[in-house]
Amino acid sequence: MSEALKKKAAALDAADELRSRRALFQLGDRDEDVYLDGNSLGALPVHVPARVADVVQRQWGELRIRSWAESGWWDAPQRVGDRIAPLVGAGPGRVVVGDSTSVNVFKAVVAGARLNPGRTEIVVDATTFPTDGYLAASAARLTGCRIVAVDPGELASALGPATAVVLLNHVDFRTGRLHDLPSLTAAIQSVGALAVWDLCHSAGALPVGLDAHGVDLAVGCTYKYLNGGPGSPAYLYVAERHQRAFDSPLPGWHSHVDPFAMAPEHTPADGVARGRVGTPAILSLLALEAALEVWDGVSIDSVRAKSLALTDFFLECAESHVEGGVSGPDSPVSLVTPLAHSERGSQLALRCAKAPVVMERLIERGVVGDLRRPDVLRFGFTPLYTGFADVERAASTLARVLAEVAEDPTA
């Protein structure tokens, strides 16, 4: 069966319309290495170092302060936002880049509550990435609201006339479960509340459709499937209908209508620039801008199709290679991610009693995934550079490691 799966992988790779994109990334010299952690940190596009060198040596080193105008530094947050916008289904002028995801979550939740005065509850995904929960709680204290934590599957029971804003993750960071953004957004808005979506684990992996589905506010990072680099700046989406009234809790001089007036009172700029705060991190922002060029000519629908094909093939290979498969009663692992395509992001999560040692040994053998303690193995599939041969190698290596660990009394 192993040879048959290798042949199938080769055929799938040959037919892959995105296969040429792999050459745009720095993935190491060893063919046997497999990088399945793009859901934590995307790979480096090969052209980015030269672009960053130009920013450092010429724009900063030679032009210095003139680069704010001559190199377009001042407009970069909106310009790069417009590069991200098509990947999340947004029109121009609705996405601004800057700050961290955490800061943008805080802006969005507080501003959302301010857009809904008189309401007293902020609903947050109970399974959310911890920072989102911390920030939602802080936003509640600031706005005089109370926090209501609820599983997304039970959201309807928590909604009502007191709900001001709801913060949800599009894809669960632990399990890879994809939540139904269109229907949940509609349910939130049906009670007069605003929907804020965290897109960290979906942008660049699957269609989002912010404008089409009438999302109010959204945030996301750029260092995962968007490959912007470690700590690359995050982004904030503000629906056009909310921009005039968007009241950021962090007004800064870069969000002022006339920044260089240095006025003592803050008068917000027009449009999505209201989401800016202070001086952006230019080096990382322009590295991100360069990285986004790998998306030129790429259809997000093609990315989604390949993502599902990759995760399906991994499961097929794992069922074949792993003793007991990934769902049988005698299996050393069990699938946490939903099987249904409509409920699956671009990662697979496997529960494993000995997950820490299994992941450690996988990485030693060149298969890089990651671990969510205490017992979840995560594998992220980045369609722009992950191939089907990578998937087969990863599954076969996983099978060998699981067998070794099962026989090792010290593991």
Side-chain angles (χ1 to χ4, degrees):
M1 179 60 77
S2 178
E3 286 305 313
L5 288 171
K6 287 180 180 179
K7 288 181 179 178
K8 182 174 181 177
L12 289 168
D13 280 329
D16 176 17
E17 65 179 285
L18 297 175
R19 66 187 181 279
S20 63
R21 298 282 154 171
R22 185 182 178 97
L24 302 180
F25 294 88
Q26 183 174 309
L27 293 170
D29 299 326
R30 301 198 317 166
D31 288 340
E32 65 269 25
D33 286 350
V34 180
Y35 189 64
L36 297 181
D37 205 12
N39 54 326
S40 290
L41 177 64
L44 171 68
V46 295
H47 66 281
V48 168
R51 294 286 288 279
V52 172
D54 176 73
V55 174
V56 172
Q57 295 169 2
R58 182 181 64 83
Q59 297 181 31
W60 178 16
E62 297 175 18
L63 294 176
R64 294 181 289 278
I65 197 70
R66 289 173 292 166
S67 275
W68 283 102
E70 294 182 27
S71 301
W73 288 1
W74 188 267
D75 298 326
Q78 289 100 299
R79 184 177 71 243
V80 181
D82 283 344
R83 292 296 300 265
I84 292 172
L87 300 177
V88 294
R94 293 165 199 177
V95 177
V96 65
V97 176
D99 308 307
S100 66
T101 307
S102 301
V103 171
N104 284 316
V105 167
F106 185 73
K107 293 179 203 171
V109 175
V110 172
R114 289 175 173 174
L115 284 164
N116 241 345
R119 294 184 174 229
T120 57
E121 293 180 351
I122 293 173
V123 176
V124 64
D125 179 351
T127 63
T128 190
F129 189 78
T131 296
D132 284 19
Y134 307 155
L135 290 161
S138 178
R141 292 193 298 272
L142 180 66
T143 58
C145 294
R146 74 180 187 94
I147 283 289
V148 178
V150 62
D151 187 283
E154 300 171 357
L155 179 65
S157 65
L159 298 175
T163 309
V165 62
V166 179
L167 173 62
L168 295 173
N169 288 266
H170 197 193
V171 174
D172 186 286
F173 80 101
R174 287 190 186 88
T175 67
R177 175 183 289 275
L178 172 65
H179 294 127
D180 189 342
L181 182 147
S183 68
L184 290 174
T185 298
I188 292 164
Q189 294 174 345
S190 72
V191 299
L194 275 69
V196 179
W197 285 92
D198 182 330
L199 309 178
C200 285
H201 288 269
S202 57
L206 52 92
V208 178
L210 293 177
D211 285 350
H213 300 306
V215 168
D216 298 293
L217 301 159
V219 301
C221 68
T222 61
Y223 48 79
K224 301 182 190 297
Y225 297 111
L226 298 182
N227 311 296
S232 57
Y235 57 90
L236 169 69
Y237 165 88
V238 182
E240 191 172 35
R241 65 187 180 278
H242 293 311
Q243 289 179 4
R244 185 177 294 275
F246 182 85
D247 183 9
S248 173
L250 298 171
W253 73 294
H254 277 237
S255 63
H256 196 283
V257 69
D258 187 3
F260 290 96
M262 303 298 172
E265 303 257 333
H266 186 266
T267 303
D270 292 331
V272 78
R274 289 178 176 227
R276 294 179 66 163
V277 184
T279 306
I282 288 294
L283 299 184
S284 58
L285 179 58
L286 298 186
L288 167 63
E289 182 174 34
L292 290 169
E293 291 177 9
V294 301
W295 291 94
D296 290 348
V298 173
S299 160
I300 197 67
D301 290 324
S302 297
V303 169
R304 177 57 170 165
K306 184 177 176 184
S307 165
L308 292 172
L310 288 167
T311 50
D312 280 345
F313 189 57
F314 182 91
L315 292 174
E316 179 184 351
C317 292
E319 284 290 345
S320 174
H321 293 316
V322 174
E323 185 70 30
V326 295
S327 55
D330 299 321
S331 175
V333 294
S334 59
L335 181 65
V336 178
T337 310
L339 280 173
H341 285 182
S342 61
E343 298 177 10
R344 187 192 311 169
S346 200
Q347 77 174 51
L348 292 173
L350 301 176
R351 182 158 283 118
C352 176
K354 297 184 177 180
V357 67
V358 169
M359 185 54 69
E360 180 181 0
R361 294 189 185 186
L362 281 171
I363 293 172
E364 288 172 353
R365 288 161 173 78
V367 175
V368 179
D370 77 359
L371 172 72
R372 284 293 175 262
R373 295 186 183 277
D375 60 356
V376 174
L377 304 167
R378 294 196 320 167
F379 301 99
F381 300 81
T382 305
L384 292 189
Y385 55 75
T386 304
F388 292 90
D390 295 328
V391 167
E392 193 281 328
R393 281 196 294 273
S396 61
T397 304
L398 173 64
R400 291 194 296 272
V401 168
L402 289 170
E404 291 171 12
V405 170
E407 296 295 324
D408 184 352
T410 66

